Amino acid sequence: MFRLRDFLLSSASLGVSQVLTAFVGFVFWFIAAHTFTQSEVGIASAVVSGISLVGALGVMGLGTLLIHDIPRHPGREMGMIAASLAASAAIGGLLGLAFVGAAPYLSTDLTSVRTSVIMVLIVAFGAGLTSASLVIDQAVIGLMRSSLQLARNVLAAVSRLALLATFGLVGVASGSLAIPGAWVASIALSMLALAAYSARRGSLRRVYPLHWDFLGARRTSALKHHLLNLAIQVPGWAMPLIAVAVLSARTTAGFYFAWLLVGLASFV
């Protein structure tokens, strides 16, 4: 009964997190559309989609591997999580740099992704953070602490709105920088908050060894799950990139808003 309860709580947490993220994401882009120009929103939507896409690629099945292995290796959980976070963040960051190099070839509207140093840092850092955040969300499920996954996503969503509104009011940058900047900063804040909570609870009182050994035992199985997840998720993240490549940044802004509406309706 205890395991059934944990399973139901984890499922409910994941469901609530997805619905809340989708709803707040819609509000986020609604505010962006009324704050910045159509072209800036179109470029930003493509950049954010690119960050999400390469960030998901950078997970490399490590989250699935943690869900399976954490309950089977008591006492080694933190070292396994630390190794997975380091690996996913590094892979995601490298893939982010690869996206920066490829972006201008997708569309001339994305040339600024490579020419702006700030944008390069946002994309590379954001892709690494996205990979790490996806891994930690699955790691806490393996720890039977799915409430932490929900809390992190709620904090990321709320801070994302606050940062976007602040950037818009202050006029700190163009929309093509401010929107991805707010997106990435919100992930960083949620990860820092989770680290602070763990430190307060005593989980980070010492430096844990990185347990790389567990990554090899079930690597093939984890990658198969990863490929299945990508097959399901990649089309959704790739569509805005395809739109900006085939059409234009201005047209992509309208398309992305409609795409969000369809995604939000699908949760019903």
Side-chain angles (χ1 to χ4, degrees), residues 228-251:
L228 174 61
N229 290 335
L230 290 178
I232 297 171
Q233 297 168 346
V234 162
W237 288 318
M239 281 298 289
L241 293 172
I242 296 173
V244 76
V246 175
L247 304 172
S248 67
R250 288 179 58 85
T251 307

Side-chain angles (χ1 to χ4, degrees), residues 6-237:
D6 285 342
F7 172 76
L8 293 175
L9 287 175
S10 295
S11 299
S13 177
L14 286 170
V16 172
S17 176
Q18 288 181 329
V19 172
L20 180 66
T21 301
F23 176 75
V24 175
F26 177 80
V27 177
F28 175 88
W29 288 103
F30 182 84
I31 294 174
H34 287 76
T35 306
F36 302 102
T37 67
Q38 188 175 355
S39 180
E40 289 174 340
V41 173
I43 294 172
S45 66
V47 172
V48 169
S49 296
I51 291 173
S52 300
L53 175 59
V54 299
L57 292 173
V59 172
M60 297 301 291
L62 296 176
T64 303
L65 193 61
L66 286 173
I67 291 177
H68 177 274
D69 281 11
I70 281 177
R72 292 164 174 79
H73 297 86
R76 289 165 50 91
E77 301 94 332
M78 297 305 296
M80 293 162 61
I81 293 173
S84 299
L85 289 177
S88 61
I91 296 171
L94 291 174
L95 290 174
L97 290 175
F99 173 74
V100 167
Y105 297 103
L106 294 175
S107 171
T108 55
D109 289 321
L110 297 179
T111 303
S112 60
V113 174
R114 189 164 63 182
T115 58
S116 169
V117 176
I118 297 177
M119 183 68 87
V120 171
L121 293 175
I122 287 175
V123 173
F125 190 57
L129 275 177
T130 298
S131 297
S133 66
L134 292 173
V135 168
I136 198 63
D137 280 351
Q138 292 180 294
V140 295
I141 293 174
L143 292 170
M144 297 299 180
R145 299 294 304 277
S146 57
S147 59
L148 294 178
Q149 185 261 356
L150 176 60
R152 191 200 70 77
N153 280 277
V154 169
L155 177 59
V158 173
S159 61
R160 190 169 296 153
L161 289 178
L163 287 168
L164 180 66
T166 302
F167 290 166
L169 290 173
V170 176
V172 66
S174 67
S176 56
L177 281 175
I179 297 171
W183 191 278
V184 172
S186 67
I187 300 175
L189 286 173
S190 68
M191 294 289 282
L192 288 173
L194 185 58
Y197 174 81
S198 299
R200 183 178 179 183
R201 293 294 298 270
S203 300
L204 301 179
R205 287 178 180 173
R206 62 185 180 85
V207 177
Y208 293 90
L210 301 181
H211 294 311
W212 300 105
D213 52 311
F214 92 101
L215 298 178
R218 298 183 60 83
R219 181 177 61 244
T220 302
S221 177
L223 286 175
K224 289 179 179 178
H225 284 285
H226 184 52
L227 291 174
L228 174 61
N229 290 335
L230 290 178
I232 297 171
Q233 297 168 346
V234 162
W237 288 318

